[in-house]
Amino acid sequence: LTDSGEPESAGVAAPAIPEPDFAYHIVTDGTCVSHGMTDILDVDECRLAMNHGYYNTRDQDDDGVIDAFQDYPIPVVDNLPPGCWPVEVGTPGFDTYPFACITPLETAVGDCSDNFPCFCKLPEYKIITASTCEAMGYKDILDVEACRGVMNDGYYNTRDQDSDGVIDAFQDYPIPVVDGLPPGCWPVEPGTPGFDTFPFACITPLETADGDCSDNFPCFCNVEPIEEPPVPPYAIVRNGTCVSHGMIDILEVDACRTVMNDGYYNTRDQDGNGILDSYQDYPIPIVDNLPPGCWPVEPGTPGFETVDFPFACITPLETAVGDCSDNFPCFCYLPEYEIVTSGTCATANYTDILDVDLCRAVMDDGYYSTRDQDNDGVLDSEQDYPIPVVPGLPPGCWPVEVGTPGFDTYPFACITPLEDAVGDCSDNFPCFCLTDSGEPESAGVAAPAIPEPDFAYHIVTDGTCV
């Protein structure tokens, strides 16, 4: 024979089953979301995945044709497990096969099961052999099914570690939860000290993890963007206090960490370990006799020579001493504001902004954050533009639009004291106004309730109670 290949049928090429362009995994308990994966809700994607990993080996209607080559129905149904799933023969309530369904998330009821095995999209992942997922800015995979899914897709699909002639991805290898090893989801390489059973993988919870990923313990990390809630608008002040500038102190630890990771520790590696400080769980103790609110500590600050960096603090208002500074830059929430282009802040029942730092903060948040008026390739909010106090113009805090008569330097903003103001806000002079005329409050501190006595009382100003 001149051809060593397998014989084919004359004139009939074996049809290829299309392969989906996404990785998937099948779960038979919980849901895709509960296992850290994503539901498949598109009919074409659902059919692709099931033809590739389920109907490619079944002939449920016994017609001699593999089900993957048939145009079976995939209706959208309610009150069944969420997402994309085929129906096993013999499932109560179904008598037509092959048959599959998609249930929208908002009308789904129940979990995936052996009768309704759900097809789930795996998260995008990356394998690292140094550091940790969290330190690299990724998410750890801590669910057993998601861990098995990514390893079967990108590791055990090419290995036969027990040399039984079966690719490891087709085996039900153990994935125990263990302590004292690298965090997250990782398989074990043959030859790793302390392990003699293969294939074998583990998950280590973050709170009990020890050590880094390595060639022996290659970690699988979820690299999909972490959907963090939006960071409330804030500013950093280096003189006075948040309250003295009309802003709001941040007094809750998680809120403090969020703003500092967004606007300070995201560019620093104060301990020189090669990991940005925003990825580390640095301490934020509550301290007294220092500037009020939430602030990080700059290395070299007197009094902090012995602390490990990064390091930050919160000082309660009632025990605070001193002002914010370069050593103690205070993070402050911005008050709510509106921009008016006719009348004035006062005629709109708002309050004028007359503090330079607050004026700069609201304009950087809601105006100069999208402009490059001097065309230097740098957003104006990143520049230290002038904000002089000027008379004879609209009251309060306002930036100057390019092309405004009498102005030729940009970016440029002004504050006009109320007693010196002339004219109204406009498109050329859009005024920034506080919507709440009350005093700023401290974020994260609820006003304490005054206890009510359980007895009736009266106040007298002569004689005595008796």
Side-chain angles (χ1 to χ4, degrees):
L1 294 177
T2 59
D3 183 357
S4 60
E6 294 295 316
E8 298 180 4
S9 300
V12 180
I17 296 174
E19 185 167 347
D21 58 0
F22 53 87
Y24 65 89
H25 185 64
I26 304 170
V27 301
T28 54
D29 65 86
T31 65
C32 295
V33 171
S34 74
H35 287 295
M37 294 177 262
T38 305
D39 289 281
I40 297 173
L41 299 171
D42 177 84
V43 170
D44 291 335
E45 288 186 342
C46 183
R47 188 182 300 278
L48 268 175
M50 286 196 290
N51 284 351
H52 182 262
Y54 185 86
Y55 284 132
N56 58 325
T57 59
R58 287 168 167 81
D59 176 16
Q60 291 185 339
D61 56 0
D62 298 318
D63 65 352
V65 179
I66 290 294
D67 295 335
F69 298 118
Q70 301 193 52
D71 188 23
Y72 50 86
I74 306 183
V76 175
V77 299
D78 300 327
N79 302 318
L80 285 163
C84 158
W85 38 268
V87 180
E88 277 286 342
V89 173
T91 299
F94 295 85
D95 55 12
T96 301
Y97 305 97
F99 192 86
C101 295
I102 289 177
T103 304
L105 304 190
E106 58 273 14
T107 62
V109 174
D111 288 345
C112 310
S113 63
D114 290 330
N115 282 333
F116 304 123
C118 299
F119 280 66
C120 311
K121 281 186 181 180
L122 292 174
E124 292 185 30
Y125 64 90
K126 183 175 183 177
I127 305 171
I128 64 172
T129 54
S131 190
T132 66
C133 295
E134 186 177 23
M136 302 284 281
Y138 306 138
K139 291 187 286 188
D140 287 280
I141 296 173
L142 299 170
D143 178 88
V144 170
E145 288 298 330
C147 182
R148 187 182 301 278
V150 294
M151 286 198 289
N152 284 351
D153 180 69
Y155 186 85
Y156 284 133
N157 58 327
T158 59
R159 287 167 166 82
D160 177 15
Q161 291 184 342
D162 56 1
S163 303
D164 64 352
V166 179
I167 290 294
D168 296 334
F170 297 115
Q171 302 194 51
D172 188 24
Y173 50 87
I175 306 182
V177 176
V178 300
D179 300 327
L181 287 163
C185 159
W186 39 268
V188 181
E189 278 287 335
T192 298
F195 294 85
D196 53 13
T197 301
F198 303 96
F200 191 85
C202 295
I203 288 177
T204 304
L206 304 190
E207 58 272 16
T208 62
D210 184 37
D212 288 344
C213 310
S214 63
D215 290 330
N216 283 332
F217 304 125
C219 299
F220 281 65
C221 310
N222 183 339
V223 302
E224 292 180 350
I226 300 174
E227 295 184 5
E228 299 285 359
V231 179
Y234 65 90
I236 304 172
V237 302
R238 291 180 166 83
N239 61 71
T241 66
C242 294
V243 171
S244 75
H245 288 294
M247 301 183 222
I248 303 166
D249 288 285
I250 299 172
L251 298 169
E252 196 270 330
V253 170
D254 288 339
C256 181
R257 187 182 303 276
T258 295
V259 293
M260 285 198 291
N261 285 350
D262 180 72
Y264 187 85
Y265 284 132
N266 58 328
T267 59
R268 287 166 165 82
D269 176 17
Q270 290 184 342
D271 56 2
N273 67 350
I275 300 172
L276 284 176
D277 296 334
S278 56
Y279 295 122
Q280 303 195 55
D281 188 24
Y282 50 87
I284 306 181
I286 306 296
V287 299
D288 298 329
N289 302 316
L290 285 163
C294 158
W295 38 268
V297 181
E298 280 285 337
T301 298
F304 291 85
E305 294 86 352
T306 61
V307 304
D308 295 326
F309 293 94
F311 190 85
C313 296
I314 290 177
T315 304
L317 304 191
E318 59 273 16
T319 63
V321 174
D323 288 345
C324 310
S325 64
D326 290 331
N327 282 333
F328 304 124
C330 298
F331 281 68
C332 314
Y333 280 149
L334 300 186
E336 292 185 6
Y337 64 89
E338 289 286 346
I339 304 172
V340 302
T341 54
S342 63
T344 65
C345 294
T347 61
N349 292 319
Y350 298 147
T351 303
D352 289 280
I353 295 173
L354 301 172
D355 178 271
V356 170
D357 285 328
L358 179 56
C359 181
R360 184 182 302 278
V362 294
M363 285 197 291
D364 283 350
D365 177 67
Y367 187 84
Y368 284 132
S369 55
T370 59
R371 288 167 166 81
D372 176 16
Q373 291 185 339
D374 55 0
N375 298 314
D376 64 352
V378 179
L379 283 176
D380 296 335
S381 57
E382 304 296 327
Q383 302 192 52
D384 188 24
Y385 50 88
I387 307 182
V389 176
V390 299
L393 286 163
C397 158
W398 40 267
V400 180
E401 277 286 343
V402 174
T404 299
F407 294 86
D408 55 11
T409 301
Y410 305 97
F412 192 85
C414 296
I415 288 178
T416 302
L418 305 190
E419 62 273 15
D420 299 326
V422 174
D424 288 345
C425 310
S426 64
D427 290 331
N428 283 332
F429 303 125
C431 299
F432 281 67
C433 313
L434 297 179
T435 59
D436 183 357
S437 60
E439 291 297 313
E441 297 177 2
S442 298
V445 179
I450 299 174
E452 185 169 344
D454 58 359
F455 53 86
Y457 65 92
H458 183 63
I459 303 170
V460 299
T461 58
D462 61 36
T464 66
C465 294
V466 173

